[in-house]
């Protein structure tokens, strides 16, 4: 009997050790991302402020600062891990739309990105861009307000077509909106886009279809496209 009890003790101990040695899965957390808006309240209803965007065609992020908390007008783009500092010499005028080229250099070559936004901060867009080595880049831009943090996610998609490519998103949890661009590997232009609302349980919905789920700083999901092919997405917050 003693030997039986001892054997059972050893078996239980070995099982416990095996379980404890299994590493816990740690959720991804963007270490450099901020938790509160940079935009100040005075700019919420005007063309001044912070505008954040996601870049597709390579992959990256961009932030426009139009006199948000000072008098400077600048932008910072990070493309494939390389930072590009941009400036604009166009003066901001109250109660007017702001349209201006932002210029800088990438690998000693000239970069120009023309940004446009309405007088009340609506419909921010990049109208033209010239980025050496990155033809056909596309942008999705959102205005950040003092109560609505804008976040950027970079990721990929796969379909059972089969097809693979980048899937980059921009969203606001408080405003419950999101938008994304997809680009097939090897393509020179955006090959698809999506967008819509974020539900109370963090589902990303595009015209009635749940595309993915937002969990902390990650987005994952599986859905069917219009051709009945399965689409899988995965993205992580980078801004």
């Amino acid at each position: 009997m003693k030997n039986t009890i001892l054997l059972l003790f050893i078996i239980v101990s070995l099982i416990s050790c095996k379980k404890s040695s299994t590493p816990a899965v740690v959720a991804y957390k963007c270490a450099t991302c901020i938790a509160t808006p940079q935009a100040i309240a005075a700019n919420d209803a005007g063309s001044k402020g912070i505008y954040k965007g996601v870049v597709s065609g390579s992959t990256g992020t961009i932030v426009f600062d139009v006199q948000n908390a000072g008098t400077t007008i600048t932008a910072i783009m990070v493309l494939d891990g390389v930072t590009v500092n941009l400036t604009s010499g166009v003066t901001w005028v109250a109660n007017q739309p702001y349209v201006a080229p932002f210029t800088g250099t990438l690998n000693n070559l000239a970069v120009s990105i023309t940004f446009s936004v309405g007088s009340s901060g609506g419909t921010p867009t990049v109208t033209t861009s010239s980025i050496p080595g990155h033809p056909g880049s596309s942008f999705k831009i959102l205005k950040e307000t003092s109560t609505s943090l804008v976040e950027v996610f970079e990721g990929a998609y796969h379909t059972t077509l089969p097809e693979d490519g980048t899937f980059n998103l921009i969203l606001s949890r408080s405003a419950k909106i999101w938008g994304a661009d997809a680009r097939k590997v090897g393509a020179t232009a955006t090959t698809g886009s999506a967008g819509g609302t974020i539900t109370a349980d963090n589902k990303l919905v595009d015209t009635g279809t749940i595309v993915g789920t937002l969990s902390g700083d990650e987005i994952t999901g599986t859905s069917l496209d219009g051709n009945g092919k399965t689409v899988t997405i995965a993205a992580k917050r980078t801004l």
Side-chain angles (χ1 to χ4, degrees):
M1 177 65 72
K2 288 182 179 180
N3 289 338
T4 301
I5 294 173
L6 178 60
L7 180 60
L8 287 173
F9 176 77
I10 292 172
I11 292 172
V12 171
S13 298
L14 288 173
I15 293 172
S16 299
C17 289
K18 186 175 181 180
K19 286 183 178 180
S20 63
S21 65
T22 303
V25 176
V26 179
Y28 167 79
K29 177 69 176 176
C30 177
T32 59
C33 295
I34 62 176
T36 56
Q38 295 171 267
I40 63 174
N43 301 327
D44 283 353
S47 55
K48 282 185 179 181
I50 295 292
Y51 300 85
K52 294 180 180 177
V54 63
V55 188
S56 298
S58 290
T59 183
T61 65
I62 192 165
V63 180
F64 295 94
D65 182 338
V66 182
Q67 295 186 357
N68 178 59
T71 59
T72 59
I73 300 176
T74 60
I76 298 175
M77 179 172 64
V78 179
L79 198 58
D80 290 342
V82 178
T83 299
V84 182
N85 293 299
L86 306 166
T87 59
S88 175
V90 176
T91 302
W92 176 85
V93 179
N95 303 315
Q96 295 293 322
Y98 185 75
V99 181
F102 284 71
T103 58
T105 60
L106 173 61
N107 297 325
N108 297 317
L109 298 174
V111 173
S112 180
I113 297 173
T114 301
F115 173 72
S116 171
V117 63
S119 59
S120 62
T123 61
T125 57
V126 168
T127 58
T128 62
S129 68
S130 176
I131 307 172
H134 304 277
S137 294
S138 60
F139 299 77
K140 281 196 178 298
I141 311 290
L142 279 178
K143 178 179 174 66
E144 185 172 274
T145 70
S146 60
T147 59
S148 181
L149 176 69
V150 172
E151 303 172 43
V152 176
F153 291 72
E154 296 176 70
Y157 75 89
H158 171 76
T159 80
T160 52
L161 191 57
E163 183 177 298
D164 293 279
T166 57
F167 192 80
N168 294 338
L169 306 90
I170 188 165
L171 60 83
S172 169
R173 299 179 201 239
S174 58
K176 301 294 184 183
I177 56 174
W178 69 280
D181 276 337
R183 181 170 296 201
K184 180 181 175 181
V185 171
T188 57
T190 298
T191 51
S193 61
T197 58
I198 303 173
T199 66
D201 58 348
N202 294 319
K203 305 296 184 184
L204 275 61
V205 180
D206 178 7
T207 58
T209 298
I210 297 175
V211 175
T213 301
L214 174 62
S215 178
D217 285 347
E218 296 182 272
I219 294 171
T220 56
T222 300
S223 59
L224 295 179
D225 66 12
N227 298 314
K229 301 298 183 181
T230 300
V231 181
T232 302
I233 63 167
K236 295 182 177 181
R237 186 183 175 194
T238 55
L239 179 67

